[in-house]
Amino acid sequence: MPVDYLTSGQHKLKKANLFIIGAPKCGTTALSEYLRYHPNVYISYPKEPSFFSSDLPGLQYVKEEKEYINLFKKQKDQHTIIGEASPAYLFSKTAIERIKQFNPDAYIIIMIRKPLDMLISYHQQLLYSLFEDQELLEEAWNQQENRSRGQNIPSTCREPKLLQYAEMTSFSTQIKRVLTYFPANRIKIILFDDFKNSP
């Protein structure tokens, strides 16, 4: 794997070269935690910086490249895989192109599951995190058109685009977008059921 370096203060850091890009509620956190314990893998803290999803500013933990690079400053020489796991990247319309510009030699892992299963779990997560205020999934689904016009958005929702449930589960469209920027031999797609049954 080619090594690309960045400078952070006095430190010479390897660029992130592994991106676990989503989708939400499909196992990205579990996978990143498994990988974190490998001696040659460094996963950022937090694991979900969402830096490259500039079209979803309410999710970005960091917005400046210098801040992003600092998330990897504790890497060691033994770490050959430098990664992060931001599940919003698959949904984002800007993230994949920005990742390609940042590191064209990166590897991409996409985790997906049956859309209905993902949708149910995702809606529950949005309720828990106070992004959503419609207790019933059907009611939340029916609000999509209004919310696309900025109506009926909960005041506690930091990123209204995440309430577009149909778009969030359009995996084929999202994967096609990834394939326009990265070749298939740099992309690994993992189905949630396979991961769950045989991690």
Side-chain angles (χ1 to χ4, degrees):
M1 176 180 296
V3 177
D4 204 349
Y5 289 96
L6 295 165
T7 302
S8 175
Q10 301 290 327
H11 304 288
K12 194 174 183 184
L13 302 177
K14 289 172 226 172
K15 261 187 188 183
N17 54 25
L18 174 68
F19 296 87
I20 304 171
I21 66 170
K25 310 310 293 179
C26 294
T28 59
T29 298
L31 179 61
S32 66
E33 287 306 308
Y34 284 141
L35 292 174
R36 190 185 298 281
Y37 288 100
H38 191 287
N40 300 122
V41 177
Y42 183 86
I43 300 293
S44 69
Y45 291 96
K47 68 98 179 169
E48 198 170 319
S50 299
F51 169 66
F52 294 101
S53 53
S54 56
D55 57 334
L56 305 170
L59 290 185
Q60 289 180 294
Y61 180 79
V62 292
K63 298 189 179 186
E64 302 296 328
E65 188 168 299
K66 183 177 179 181
E67 294 175 296
Y68 180 71
I69 292 165
N70 280 334
L71 299 179
F72 302 93
K73 66 185 177 184
K74 292 185 180 178
Q75 64 178 258
K76 308 291 183 195
D77 289 342
Q78 74 211 40
H79 296 127
T80 54
I81 304 295
I82 312 297
E84 59 135 307
S86 294
Y89 287 163
L90 186 60
F91 173 68
S92 168
K93 292 180 171 65
T94 63
I96 307 306
E97 182 178 10
R98 293 186 70 211
I99 291 169
K100 177 74 171 183
Q101 292 168 353
F102 178 78
N103 188 350
D105 295 317
Y107 287 93
I108 306 293
I109 296 177
I110 300 170
M111 301 187 75
I112 55 175
R113 69 195 291 188
K114 294 172 187 171
L116 182 57
D117 292 346
M118 181 268 191
L119 192 60
I120 292 168
S121 181
Y122 177 66
H123 173 250
Q124 289 299 311
Q125 178 63 42
L126 292 185
L127 284 170
Y128 176 78
S129 60
L130 303 180
F131 278 50
E132 178 61 88
D133 61 2
Q134 298 295 319
E135 296 285 336
L136 297 178
L137 175 54
E138 183 179 2
E139 291 178 3
W141 181 274
N142 291 337
Q143 287 294 326
Q144 290 178 97
E145 187 175 342
N146 288 336
R147 288 169 164 177
S148 71
R149 296 192 297 263
Q151 301 168 356
N152 302 334
I153 295 168
S155 60
T156 51
C157 180
R158 295 194 325 265
E159 186 46 69
K161 290 177 186 172
L162 298 187
L163 301 174
Q164 296 302 311
Y165 295 95
E167 275 190 69
M168 186 61 73
T169 54
S170 295
F171 298 143
S172 61
T173 299
Q174 296 166 5
I175 290 169
K176 284 177 187 174
R177 181 163 53 238
V178 178
L179 285 164
T180 64
Y181 291 101
F182 286 93
N185 66 356
R186 292 199 170 268
I187 301 168
K188 173 73 173 174
I189 298 174
I190 299 175
L191 301 179
F192 177 78
D193 287 345
D194 293 343
F195 177 69
K196 183 178 175 184
N197 294 333
S198 182

